Amino acid sequence: MGNQATHVLAADYGAGSGRFVRGSFDGSRLSLQEVHRFSNEPVQLGDGLYWDFLRLFHELKQGIVKGTQGISPSVRSIAVDTWGVDYGLVDGAGRLCSNPRHYREARNAQWMEEVLHMVKKEELYTMSGVLPQQINTVFQLLGSVREHAEGLRPDIRMLFMPDLFHYYLSGQQACEYTIASTSGLLHADEARWNEHLIGRLGIPETLFPRLVQPGTVLGQLTDDLCAELRTGPMQVISVGSHDTASALAAIPAMDSDFAFISCGTWSLMGVERDTPVLDDRSRAWGFTNEGTVRGKVRTLKNRSGLWLLQECKRQWERENQFFTHEELIQLATLATPHQCYVSPGDGVYLAPGNMPERIRQQCSANGQTVPETTGAIVRCILESLALEFRQTLDELQLITGTRPRVIHMVGGGVHNRLLCQFTANAAGVPVVAGPAEATSAGNCMLQFLAHGEVNSLAEVREVMGASFSPETYEPEDTELWQEAYENYQSLNQIKR
């Protein structure tokens, strides 16, 4: 390998915003440069909630223009990753049938109920590996079929959000495995459509394109787009098109014995496995099984992340109290430890609005010390999150039979050093924090893997460790935190 860097573009669409990154790789280290950022806000139209795909594709084109300007050698490829479950419908002429519907639509509850009349939730979990939730594609898609009285024509295809972007970039239709695995429409232990389930629900099999694995080169950027954007040719690649799959690929792990936390507003915590976990206990505790790169499965649970802290910060700003995140962490460091806890995933905290007051009310109702100061509230949140992560680690041990020796944390949460340290203390295992930009980094490195510039997922992870210098937090005060965990369990009446 030479020393001249080669370049790729990664488009990372979240459910609230998007970012466009140029990744440059010199054979040993990856560097990232953000070239474009934009909001992603759904649109309410009548009784429907939609993603504005046309605007989002416009932002994609802007990212290509900004990401290719003045770059030598030219950009080799582009890949898109997004959130899961949502999709668009494309007809035989390549026209988008309508803007994709949003997973939060109220209509999905009725379609979930209808599916569960046909297939019991326990059976659905065993068949697909995916925890039944009304956001799942399987419920949304039944709604799409039912709402077309004449039926969906045989020429219509379903494409998940990243696949939809890739189609209009390259002209090639395919569904990538990791994003398809969020749908509830695949076999639990095979990377193929579950024809039996699809037929049982009366969903036309003609809707489903071929499945491809991460690292598949779909084709080239179309000639029309090259001309419009005044850019040279580049390949279009399916990576880990579900954002968590790309983030997991970027974890700088030296072996497979680890748990991961992808921590931002919400946190996904789980383990990487060869096979899914499909028993009643894993379903009752809220674990789902999704695909990851190289044919593995991520068994994970969606946990609360920094939402409570973000909402508190917004409330304090409304009250003309302005703190940086670093100042909030410093105030929490100075606050008295282990005075009170909350259950971060409790439904009382889901909606926005005056989070400090809700935390105080819950602590009072539970007979705990009420956190009155800013630092006490922040410490309550961070200690509670760490204890919730410990609970999830214990559950993972019980459903898999093994306890990971280390936790890798990626995403924006790694900037919160106190949360990282508390998580190590509560779990009793080291926490390796970083990279913060794991999704974009993983997207880029999976493209370089497709180009043959690295040869394995293990090499990808070595590059991550060399490029981003993750920080390790060793457990401290473990006896004190064990006592805190027992109090937390008692408080929240966690039953096994």
Side-chain angles (χ1 to χ4, degrees):
M1 296 180 186
N3 291 325
Q4 187 178 28
T6 55
H7 313 289
V8 298
L9 298 178
D12 175 24
Y13 285 84
S17 64
R19 60 197 301 267
F20 215 94
V21 166
R22 182 172 59 240
S24 303
F25 183 55
D26 65 3
S28 58
R29 283 181 169 78
L30 174 72
S31 61
L32 302 177
Q33 182 179 356
E34 183 178 299
V35 297
H36 187 47
R37 183 179 284 271
F38 49 92
S39 64
N40 179 16
E41 297 167 346
V43 178
Q44 187 81 40
L45 187 65
D47 62 352
L49 188 62
Y50 298 87
W51 296 109
D52 189 352
F53 181 77
L54 299 183
R55 176 174 171 266
L56 295 179
F57 195 77
H58 168 76
E59 300 291 358
L60 182 59
K61 291 195 285 189
Q62 296 304 301
I64 293 173
V65 170
K66 294 177 181 179
T68 55
Q69 284 176 340
I71 295 301
S72 179
S74 60
V75 171
R76 294 189 65 178
S77 60
I78 182 172
V80 179
D81 65 76
T82 78
W83 68 96
V85 306
D86 288 338
Y87 60 90
L89 299 175
V90 176
D91 70 16
R95 293 179 296 240
L96 187 64
C97 296
S98 71
N99 266 314
R101 307 291 284 259
H102 192 290
Y103 62 85
R104 289 193 188 275
E105 274 200 317
R107 71 173 191 141
N108 296 334
Q110 100 183 60
W111 302 121
M112 179 175 179
E113 186 177 343
E114 185 163 338
V115 168
L116 295 182
H117 278 307
M118 293 185 272
V119 185
K120 292 186 181 299
K121 62 183 178 182
E122 296 84 0
E123 186 182 4
L124 194 62
Y125 185 68
T126 303
M127 291 175 76
S128 70
V130 175
L131 185 72
Q133 297 175 287
Q134 70 180 53
I135 67 173
N136 294 357
T137 314
V138 59
F139 308 127
Q140 294 193 53
L141 196 58
L142 183 73
S144 292
V145 172
R146 291 282 198 272
E147 288 170 356
H148 288 75
E150 75 284 3
L152 291 170
R153 299 195 316 268
D155 66 324
I156 291 177
R157 299 289 180 271
M158 179 204 70
L159 293 169
F160 296 100
M161 292 301 293
D163 306 317
L164 197 61
F165 287 112
H166 288 150
Y167 170 57
Y168 286 112
L169 288 174
S170 70
Q172 300 298 311
Q173 291 185 355
C175 287
E176 187 273 323
Y177 165 60
T178 69
I179 196 79
S181 74
T182 69
S183 68
L185 290 161
L186 300 188
H187 285 277
D189 53 0
E190 296 181 66
R192 63 187 181 93
W193 298 113
N194 193 323
E195 296 90 348
H196 175 68
L197 174 61
I198 289 165
R200 195 163 154 186
L201 297 178
I203 297 173
E205 287 189 24
T206 52
L207 278 172
F208 301 96
R210 65 188 172 117
L211 280 171
V212 298
Q213 285 292 323
T216 299
V217 178
L218 296 172
Q220 297 280 336
L221 195 65
T222 65
D223 292 340
D224 287 346
L225 278 173
C226 287
E228 177 191 349
L229 305 178
R230 298 181 181 180
T231 187
M234 69 180 73
Q235 292 180 322
V236 179
I237 298 178
S238 276
V239 289
S241 296
H242 187 240
D243 48 15
T244 307
S246 276
L248 186 53
I251 284 175
M254 294 299 102
D255 57 40
S256 60
D257 188 14
F258 67 90
F260 66 86
I261 302 173
S262 181
C263 184
T265 301
W266 304 102
S267 293
L268 297 169
M269 184 173 183
V271 292
E272 193 176 50
R273 292 174 47 82
D274 292 324
T275 57
V277 183
L278 303 171
D279 60 28
D280 289 341
R281 190 162 52 177
S282 64
R283 178 181 54 79
W285 287 345
F287 285 92
T288 196
N289 300 275
E290 298 170 352
T292 188
V293 300
R294 293 300 184 256
K296 288 185 177 289
V297 173
R298 54 186 192 264
T299 298
L300 59 88
K301 187 173 188 175
N302 195 351
R303 305 254 45 169
S304 184
L306 295 171
W307 165 251
L308 272 68
L309 183 57
Q310 292 164 351
E311 275 298 293
C312 283
K313 188 171 183 291
R314 279 188 276 270
Q315 179 62 33
W316 290 322
E317 287 170 358
R318 284 191 285 268
E319 298 169 358
N320 290 317
Q321 299 180 70
F322 296 92
F323 303 98
T324 66
H325 287 288
E326 292 73 19
E327 287 169 341
L328 291 175
I329 292 168
Q330 181 61 26
L331 289 171
T333 304
L334 298 173
T336 306
H338 301 299
Q339 296 298 293
C340 55
Y341 312 111
V342 295
S343 181
D346 192 305
V348 73
Y349 304 119
L350 285 175
N354 207 338
M355 193 65 73
E357 182 57 27
R358 271 182 278 172
I359 289 171
R360 285 191 288 264
Q361 288 176 355
Q362 288 296 302
C363 290
S364 176
N366 291 329
Q368 300 182 89
T369 301
V370 177
E372 297 293 352
T373 67
T374 300
I377 290 171
V378 176
R379 186 159 194 128
C380 172
I381 292 170
L382 297 182
E383 288 180 346
S384 299
L385 285 173
L387 293 166
E388 188 178 59
F389 291 149
R390 160 69 188 274
Q391 176 199 335
T392 307
L393 193 68
D394 284 359
E395 291 170 347
L396 283 166
Q397 179 179 2
L398 288 167
I399 66 174
T400 66
T402 59
R403 189 176 187 85
R405 293 182 300 174
V406 64
I407 296 171
H408 281 272
M409 185 184 293
V410 296
V414 305
H415 295 306
N416 192 314
R417 296 173 57 85
L418 203 56
L419 177 61
C420 296
Q421 185 62 62
F422 285 175
T423 301
N425 298 350
V429 298
V431 170
V432 180
E437 305 299 346
T439 300
S440 297
N443 180 320
C444 291
M445 285 308 303
L446 290 171
Q447 292 183 65
F448 289 120
L449 180 60
H451 292 309
E453 296 202 29
V454 288
N455 297 312
S456 66
L457 182 59
E459 280 191 38
V460 167
R461 288 174 166 166
E462 284 179 24
V463 170
M464 290 298 101
S467 303
F468 297 102
S469 303
E471 185 168 358
T472 299
Y473 296 81
E474 296 290 344
E476 299 172 355
D477 303 323
T478 51
E479 290 185 10
L480 181 64
W481 278 87
Q482 177 60 32
E483 181 181 342
Y485 182 53
E486 292 167 4
N487 292 336
Y488 174 83
Q489 286 182 300
S490 174
L491 180 70
N492 291 291
Q493 298 180 326
I494 299 168
K495 292 183 173 62
R496 300 277 177 217

